[in-house]
Amino acid sequence: ETGVTQSPTHLIKTRGQQVTLRCSSQSGHNTVSWYQQALGQGPQFIFQYYREEENGRGNFPPRFSGLQFPNYSSELNVNALELDDSALYLCASSFEGNYGYTFGSGTRLTVV
Amino acid sequence: SQQGEEDPQALSIQEGENATMNCSYKTSINNLQWYRQNSGRGLVHLILIRSNEREKHSGRLRVTLDTSKKSSSLLITASRAADTASYFCATDAYGNTGKLIFGQGTTLQVKP
């Protein structure tokens, strides 16, 4: 049974650019959530996808968008990057959200 | 926004001692979860306690939940150097939306 894998592990982008982060869910998991973790803070919920539909969203602007594919893998897209978007982005998958979440190792995004 | 507050923010103990971390939250919950994070990487799910449970054990971990006080504690017994990490509590208000609300975490250092 594989865990949650995220790519890339590190990324440097320039302010104003767009970025796509990828996540492969754990086998058998149909729910994926994305979190942003700034340095020294706890993770903050961005949104969740359940069976390819957005199923909840946190307090993030529309330039943060996502997709979930039929194989339950997922993408997080961020447009018009700002310096404050620099953070660790975490993907988490679960089955129906009732048994805790399996997190990936994250993508460290630096916006310069 | 962060729902939980964790106390203490930092804890330093000797190997073999017990470590206790506390978490308070603000709204009604479906369940509360504890996670460990090593060196700013991915989160590892430790234990989930449902709102109708008061105590749960897993190996050297003991979690309590007091919904009347909106608080939880995590006890790690007989700590080891490998337990050095940041520990986060996360509340799940709905049980199936993936919207975990994290505290700011407790940084635990276990000295050999």
Side-chain angles (χ1 to χ4, degrees):
Chain A
E1 180 179 277
T2 59
V4 175
T5 57
Q6 292 187 242
S7 62
T9 55
H10 295 83
L11 200 53
I12 299 175
K13 287 286 191 178
T14 303
R15 188 172 48 183
Q17 285 188 315
Q18 178 265 343
V19 69
T20 297
L21 310 181
R22 294 180 173 82
C23 170
S24 293
S25 302
Q26 181 167 317
S27 177
H29 285 184
N30 57 10
T31 301
V32 64
S33 304
W34 286 90
Y35 291 82
Q36 180 196 66
Q37 186 178 21
L39 203 59
Q41 302 293 316
Q44 295 219 9
F45 175 74
I46 302 175
F47 44 56
Q48 185 202 47
Y49 279 82
Y50 174 66
R51 296 185 180 181
E52 302 176 61
E53 297 284 334
E54 187 178 292
N55 186 40
R57 189 178 182 92
N59 189 27
F60 280 81
R63 60 189 185 84
F64 285 78
S65 63
L67 281 173
Q68 187 182 30
F69 300 101
N71 65 355
Y72 302 130
S73 65
S74 176
E75 286 182 355
L76 165 66
N77 298 290
V78 187
N79 293 323
L81 284 167
E82 300 176 0
L83 297 180
D84 285 349
D85 295 333
S86 295
L88 181 68
Y89 288 84
L90 295 162
C91 167
S93 72
S94 73
F95 178 71
E96 305 288 323
N98 285 323
Y99 302 102
Y101 294 84
T102 302
F103 279 80
S105 296
T107 293
R108 174 77 60 188
L109 173 65
T110 303
V111 182
V112 298
Chain B
S1 62
Q2 306 280 358
Q3 151 138 270
E5 291 186 4
E6 297 186 56
D7 170 51
Q9 290 189 334
L11 182 59
S12 182
I13 60 175
Q14 294 295 135
E15 213 166 22
E17 293 181 338
N18 295 340
T20 299
M21 291 159 257
N22 302 296
C23 166
S24 61
Y25 58 92
K26 298 174 185 173
T27 63
S28 297
I29 61 171
N30 179 282
N31 64 67
L32 184 145
Q33 304 173 33
W34 285 89
Y35 288 84
R36 184 184 74 227
Q37 186 176 41
N38 291 83
S39 301
R41 299 306 294 173
L43 295 156
V44 175
H45 179 255
L46 296 176
I47 198 163
L48 180 153
I49 186 165
R50 301 188 192 283
S51 59
N52 61 352
E53 297 176 311
R54 292 295 167 259
E55 189 171 310
K56 206 160 183 181
H57 297 255
S58 177
R60 294 185 295 114
L61 305 180
R62 172 177 169 257
V63 167
T64 61
L65 179 64
D66 186 335
T67 53
S68 66
K69 295 181 179 177
K70 292 186 167 60
S71 67
S72 175
S73 68
L74 170 67
L75 168 68
I76 304 174
T77 60
S79 62
R80 305 166 182 168
D83 294 329
T84 295
S86 293
Y87 291 82
F88 294 90
C89 70
T91 54
D92 186 345
Y94 304 103
N96 64 357
T97 66
K99 186 177 180 180
L100 297 179
I101 300 179
F102 285 83
Q104 293 197 333
T106 294
T107 300
L108 172 65
Q109 182 185 29
V110 181
K111 300 175 184 176

